[in-house]
Amino acid sequence: MSQQSNKTLLTRARKKKIRNALLFVLSLSLFALYFFPFILVLINSFKDRLDIVSNPLALPSTWSFDNYIEAYQTMNFMSALWNSILVTTVSVLLIIVFSSMFAYFLVRWKWKVNGWIFVLLIASMIIPFQALMIPFVSIYGNLGLLNSKWMLMFFYLGFGLGLATFMYHGFIKSIPVELEEAAIIDGASRFQVFWKVVFPMLKPITVTIVILDVLWIWNDFLLPALVLVSEGNRTIPLSTFYFFGQYTSAFGPAMAGLVLAMIPIIIFFIFLQKQVIKGVMDGAIK
């Protein structure tokens, strides 16, 4: 009986090792497939156009930073970087402030109309932006409200409010009302209760929303392309479009421009990776 149990344990251990090995190989393969385009862009950013066209998979015969210099100058990189940082930072802050307060109002004020407002908010998330694109440009263009970074931030607030409010709504419902009642008894106003008691408890979901919105706004091309007309207002995704013309494309500088566009968001994750992982995990557990 003891030998049989030992054999069973050995068999289970072998099966577990085989399963873990297969999962490791599968994970490694998926990682290679996911990471391969980034490696391809990085390699081709050091090559000239003929080398890219002839063999995009080959290593550069000579490693040159000429593409990066050309991309930096053509994109007006520092101006585009500042525009992207300004638009992304202010837009995310606006979404966080307004969506958290709006969700708190919908949860704590038991008005009948609040249920319909929440339903309409969720329904607005279903409508794709492409369906609103033509009337959006027509209406705001006639009002002279396009070609402004500040209006672009306002538009991002409108398009990002639904999802953020939905996420905050479910999180706020799990916060005990007794904490707020105790703060009110101590003399705090509703405004103070929210910002000093409720909002600090929303940190996990706030970090999650910040991650999603930063990635969305930083990489967005369509909405800034419709709103920002002048070159001085263009963000980094719009600036990379300089390299693609009607009859030819500067692939080398374009690849270098894409690498330059990725560097700020990579730095963002490097410095905030602990908060990012903790926020996602806490939000999932909650």
Side-chain angles (χ1 to χ4, degrees):
M1 190 68 180
S2 177
Q3 292 180 352
Q4 185 67 27
S5 61
N6 289 335
K7 288 181 179 179
T8 303
L9 291 174
L10 289 173
T11 303
R12 290 179 179 176
R14 288 170 185 168
K15 289 182 179 179
K16 186 176 181 180
K17 288 182 179 179
I18 294 173
R19 185 171 63 252
N20 291 338
L22 291 174
L23 289 174
F24 176 77
V25 172
L26 178 62
S27 301
L28 192 62
S29 301
L30 292 175
F31 173 77
L33 288 174
Y34 177 79
F35 204 67
F36 177 73
F38 297 98
I39 297 297
L40 200 63
V41 169
L42 182 62
I43 291 174
N44 287 299
S45 66
F46 295 97
K47 298 159 63 175
D48 57 29
R49 187 177 186 278
L50 293 178
D51 288 341
I52 296 174
V53 174
S54 61
N55 190 357
L57 299 177
L59 292 173
S61 55
T62 57
W63 296 79
S64 174
F65 286 92
D66 292 341
N67 289 332
Y68 286 90
I69 296 173
E70 182 179 348
Y72 184 90
Q73 295 174 347
T74 304
M75 294 171 61
N76 194 5
F77 182 74
M78 293 309 297
S79 175
L81 177 63
W82 166 247
N83 290 336
S84 289
I85 292 175
L86 179 64
V87 170
T88 303
T89 304
V90 176
S91 299
V92 171
L93 287 176
L94 288 174
I95 291 172
I96 293 297
V97 170
F98 282 93
S99 62
S100 60
M101 295 178 68
F102 190 32
Y104 180 70
F105 166 75
L106 293 177
V107 173
R108 293 297 187 241
W109 274 259
K110 305 296 183 180
W111 297 353
K112 292 183 179 181
V113 71
N114 284 4
W116 290 104
I117 293 174
F118 188 64
V119 171
L120 291 175
L121 203 66
I122 297 175
S124 66
M125 296 163 52
I126 304 173
I127 304 173
F129 173 71
Q130 288 77 6
L132 307 173
M133 187 169 58
I134 295 176
F136 172 82
V137 175
S138 176
I139 293 172
Y140 286 98
N142 292 333
L143 294 174
L145 298 177
L146 299 182
N147 196 29
S148 170
K149 294 191 290 289
W150 304 106
M151 288 306 301
L152 179 61
M153 299 170 196
F154 174 74
F155 297 147
Y156 275 130
L157 171 62
F159 288 115
L161 190 67
L163 178 60
T165 304
F166 173 75
M167 296 176 70
Y168 272 126
H169 188 276
F171 207 93
I172 292 174
K173 288 174 68 176
S174 64
I175 298 177
V177 183
E178 290 78 11
L179 295 175
E180 302 170 34
E181 293 175 348
I184 292 174
I185 292 173
D186 290 338
S189 64
R190 276 290 185 180
F191 189 81
Q192 291 174 324
V193 167
F194 176 75
W195 289 111
K196 293 185 178 181
V197 178
V198 177
F199 190 76
M201 301 178 67
L202 301 178
K203 183 180 177 181
I205 197 66
T206 300
V207 173
T208 304
I209 293 172
V210 168
I211 297 166
L212 296 175
D213 287 341
V214 166
L215 291 175
W216 161 48
I217 297 173
W218 184 272
N219 296 313
D220 189 30
F221 177 84
L222 184 56
L223 185 57
L226 296 173
V227 176
L228 303 178
V229 180
S230 63
E231 295 183 1
N233 287 331
R234 292 185 175 180
T235 58
I236 286 182
L238 292 182
S239 298
T240 58
F241 199 64
Y242 284 126
F243 305 108
F244 300 96
Q246 185 175 0
Y247 301 104
T248 185
S249 298
F251 292 115
M255 298 295 178
L258 291 175
V259 174
L260 291 175
M262 288 188 291
I263 289 175
I265 203 69
I266 291 174
I267 295 174
F268 169 78
F269 274 102
I270 289 175
F271 281 97
L272 298 178
Q273 58 181 340
K274 290 183 179 179
Q275 288 80 359
V276 167
I277 295 172
K278 187 177 184 300
V280 173
M281 293 298 295
D282 290 348
I285 293 172
K286 191 70 175 180

